[in-house]
């Protein structure tokens, strides 16, 4: 798989429809207007452990973005790679403080929320602590992160139509999938996070975000 497909010209995104990390990469690609080939990797079937996929991403995670012989196996790295390769429209502002804020919000999502309740962690909690215990754990981690982001955006007074202004930027790429999953899968009460709830409505009205939604992906179940 890694060698046979390396000669194709289009970028290839190895993705799982329900993965919030893959969701970020899809949004970034859509915002940049990049045509890409979707390659489904079914995490529930363990396809991320297939030897051919491990050649692409030894961490056995999605997403992975293949650009010729180059493979980027992390959603944050993918977003920055796309920003460098396709600078327009920009995902990062020129203002250093706003750029840092975008990175900070993205890092809270990518490092302070999502890894604490990925599939491996949830399975471990249910096995070692008890069936269903992972649900409470997930809610706690999301609420802790959302509280920090809500307060951060309000403190900085930076929110416009989107998280850090009137243009979609990196923070939005990371926030949109996390908020969507929190509402649809974890049933988080968003009334505690009015800014994030408003942003969710804006994302659902933006074509690049809508096209990236889990249910719109080719590997999503027909019943979803």
């Amino acid at each position: 798989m890694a060698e046979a497909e390396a000669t194709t010209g289009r970028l290839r995104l190895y993705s799982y429809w329900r993965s919030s990390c893959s969701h970020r990469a899809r949004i970034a690609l859509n915002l940049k207007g990049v045509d890409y080939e979707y390659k489904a990797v079914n995490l529930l079937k363990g396809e991320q452990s297939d030897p051919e996929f491990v050649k692409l991403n030894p961490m056995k995670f999605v997403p992975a973005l293949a650009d010729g012989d180059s493979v980027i196996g992390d959603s944050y790295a993918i977003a920055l790679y796309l920003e460098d390769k396709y600078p327009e429209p920009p995902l990062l502002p020129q203002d250093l403080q706003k750029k840092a804020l975008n990175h900070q919000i993205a890092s809270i999502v990518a490092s302070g929320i999502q890894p604490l309740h990925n599939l491996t962690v949830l399975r471990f909690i249910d096995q070692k602590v008890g069936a269903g215990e992972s649900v409470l754990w997930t809610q706690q981690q999301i609420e802790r992160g959302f509280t920090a982001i809500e307060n951060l955006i309000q403190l900085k007074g930076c929110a416009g139509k989107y998280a850090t202004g009137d243009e979609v930027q990196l923070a939005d790429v990371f926030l949109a999938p996390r908020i969507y999953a929190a509402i649809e899968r974890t049933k988080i009460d968003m009334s505690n996070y009015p800014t994030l709830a408003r942003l969710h409505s804006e994302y659902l009205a933006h074509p690049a975000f809508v096209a990236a939604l889990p249910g719109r992906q080719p590997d999503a179940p027909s019943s979803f």
Side-chain angles (χ1 to χ4, degrees):
M1 176 169 62
E3 295 179 359
E5 295 175 354
T7 58
T8 62
R10 297 168 69 198
L11 271 63
R12 299 181 307 284
L13 180 68
Y14 293 83
S15 173
Y16 179 58
W17 69 279
R18 208 177 186 192
S19 160
S20 62
C21 296
S22 297
H23 192 170
R24 299 169 199 159
R26 297 193 300 263
I27 291 172
L29 285 161
N30 291 346
L31 288 170
K32 293 294 186 180
V34 178
D35 180 42
Y36 66 94
E37 181 180 1
Y38 189 102
K39 307 292 290 185
V41 180
N42 192 318
L43 303 185
L44 297 184
K45 293 182 178 179
E47 292 178 355
Q48 69 274 23
S49 297
D50 183 286
E52 291 300 309
F53 182 74
V54 175
K55 292 179 184 178
L56 294 169
N57 189 358
M59 280 297 288
K60 305 179 184 179
F61 290 161
V62 291
L65 182 71
D67 184 5
D69 293 329
S70 299
V71 180
I72 304 95
D74 174 85
S75 61
Y76 211 132
I78 287 171
L80 296 183
Y81 179 83
L82 294 172
E83 179 73 351
D84 286 339
K85 183 166 184 173
Y86 308 99
E88 296 295 332
L91 294 179
L92 288 168
Q94 292 298 312
D95 181 271
L96 292 180
Q97 291 186 352
K98 281 194 174 183
K99 181 183 289 186
L101 180 61
N102 271 271
H103 282 297
Q104 185 176 358
I105 293 172
S107 292
I108 291 173
V109 173
S111 302
I113 302 178
Q114 193 276 331
L116 299 176
H117 64 88
N118 65 23
L119 186 59
T120 302
V121 172
L122 299 186
R123 284 175 172 172
F124 182 85
I125 292 173
D126 282 338
Q127 291 171 1
K128 299 297 183 179
V129 182
E133 292 297 322
S134 62
V135 175
L136 179 59
W137 169 264
T138 297
Q139 292 172 337
Q140 289 175 339
Q141 305 316 309
I142 294 174
E143 289 169 351
R144 181 173 61 89
F146 277 10
T147 298
I149 295 171
E150 180 81 18
N151 291 339
L152 181 62
I153 293 175
Q154 291 184 2
L155 177 66
K156 297 293 184 180
C158 60
K161 184 175 183 180
Y162 300 105
T164 59
D166 290 328
E167 302 295 330
V168 172
Q169 296 183 328
L170 186 70
D172 303 296
V173 172
F174 280 72
L175 278 173
R178 183 67 273 149
I179 298 171
Y180 177 86
I183 293 172
E184 297 296 326
R185 295 166 57 184
T186 320
K187 309 305 181 185
I188 295 295
D189 180 5
M190 294 302 293
S191 66
N192 296 319
Y193 316 103
T195 303
L196 299 186
R198 180 184 62 76
L199 292 175
H200 178 62
S201 297
E202 295 291 352
Y203 300 147
L204 292 182
H206 194 298
F209 288 83
V210 172
L213 288 171
R216 298 285 185 106
Q217 306 317 303
D219 56 331
S222 58
S223 58
F224 182 79

